[in-house]
Amino acid sequence: MMGNEGSQLSGLEIEEKAAEITDFWAHYRATINDSCSYFSLKSDGSVSVFKGEMVSGPLWTVSTPLEKFSNNLLKYRHPCILRYVSAWQQRSTFYLATEYVQPLTQVLGSLTPLQICIGLNNILRPLVFLHQQAGMSHNNVSMQAIYVTGDGQWKLGGLQYLCSFQELTGAYLKHARIHRYDKAVDPNEDSQEVTKNVDQYGFAALVDDVFAGHEDDQVPHLREFKQYCSNSLQHSNPEMRPSLSEVLQHSFFNHEFISIYKFLNFLPLKSEEERSEFFSTILETLKCYHEDTVAKQLGGLLLSRLTMLDQTARKDVIPFILKPKHERSQNCEYPGFFSISVFKEHVKPRLMQLFVVRDSQIRTLLLTHFSKYVHVFSHEELSQHILPELLLGIKDTDDNLVASTLICLSELVPILGASTVIGGKRSKYFTDGRPNSKSSPHVPPLGRTPDNTFAQRQSLKDLSCSEEIFKQNHEKAEVYDTENISHLIERPSPVGGESVEIETVRINSNVADASEDDWSDWDNTNNANNAAFNHPDMKEFQDIPVAISSEVTIQKPLVKSSLLQKAAIQAKKNIIDISELDIKNQKFENIKKAAADEFDFFADMTPVIEKPTISAVAADSVLSSSSKLDFVPDDGADADESEGWGENWND
């Protein structure tokens, strides 16, 4: 159960269960909901909160132990000293917020001897800083004063006993002895006049505690270093104890792995030649060590800002670090260094933090290798953390950065879906235009073959046809069924075709098939009248006689259809201008000729009531019949009278 404690940090929620309880405070894990991912490796806003009550005593007359601890953290800043975040007081309770850490006593069992060696090195460095630069004595070097961050870095705490060397007296040590670690207290401390080398004795006790249960041959020079601590750092005469800066020069803190760690820590102090030589061989050297130790102790340094900006590291180190080992193949340029499990545990949190960095060089490097590690993130991590940062990148003014960002967004589409990546309402603007095939239920999309050439299409001869195939006899035309001839003519006549119920078949078998070049242009409206007569099929009907040739036997319905088609074509040939269809522009000769050539198709359907008397009807009598549509205009009529229709429809 969590609750807001009314702190100065907005959105702070403190867990109810304490991670550690000491004589002066209780250590809790807390979360800052709004931001502050900077204080947590996992970018979840985790911090550590120390709650201390008022304590009375000769050392705490001015401030409580937790208040003194907080003030010293705020005053003395060092990379290996616990990082201060905030402090506040609520009623009688004092609160101190720091970066998220765990007590060393809780994680020591999971550390390897090599990790412990690096941890001791990290504790010596701030102690040397306090002694030489600040002129202060810690007076509480023990496991209870050491904390471990999420990436395995040891941080020095317990600064509630910190004092200057001038204030360090026997009386001061006597007052503080009740709360100090008994094993770190010199038994002869009260009888000694020199009290300035208290931290050396406590560090020797710390070395003995952290290596308890480990063999001396697990770390180079461990046996010699233990002997050195017992004989020199815990010497009975405090004046004979070496300074802590001399301890750092021991071979135990200068073997190969520690040397790599120190080089990465002090990278800004190295020359360009030294950095180039170092990064060109570092991966081969690190292969000799356990990958979990390398990832936990060196992962952050290998992906630090200074490392990622180095030209040699960008070429020889970063591509291998950013790719999990499980994707390694024989022909792969970058086989990867860490396994997928180690990568997810130690490298992925670093990448989450790096995507927040507003540096174009670092972002470009992350985008270049994005496809190698994108699969290690969960859907929630991609949508909640990575995607917002990528969407921010496409708004940058750097064209190269925007182009790389768009490529990475395309990598997210198959994982998160296009709706999540691009947002907004989508519609289907494209359809699949592939033709359906009855023989093959699935037609693969057109693409490139492995030889980088377009897949060859099948010819029309190789495709199956669902229609019945008619064989053409060049010697004599065969009799075709009227139900199967509709597919032979590909399009009807532009004029009059709508009145034809059954398409006619080509009769002259010697005429070659027309090519595509012979087809008239559908869009050419200027030649609409001539287009109907230029079709090769239309020409065949011009010479069809009324009597059917003996070479072709066609059924009666086909004869009528042919005659209708012939009449339609003949009518179109006689019409030169569309204006001739106007009734007032018709010529007498045309009407007379049309009446003479008129054919009565319904003569044989007249019912027989009595014996009919057949007589010839003169053409003139037909023309003389009264009709409002048949008239001869008067050439001498007045021009005004010829305008308009001119007929009286009421007669």
Side-chain angles (χ1 to χ4, degrees), residues 48-59:
S48 290
V49 174
F50 299 85
K51 295 172 57 176
E53 302 294 337
M54 302 298 294
V55 178
S56 60
L59 298 178

Side-chain angles (χ1 to χ4, degrees), residues 193-208:
E193 297 181 359
V194 179
T195 58
K196 294 184 179 181
N197 295 329
V198 176
D199 291 342
Q200 283 87 332
Y201 192 96
F203 185 80
L206 174 65
V207 172
D208 188 62

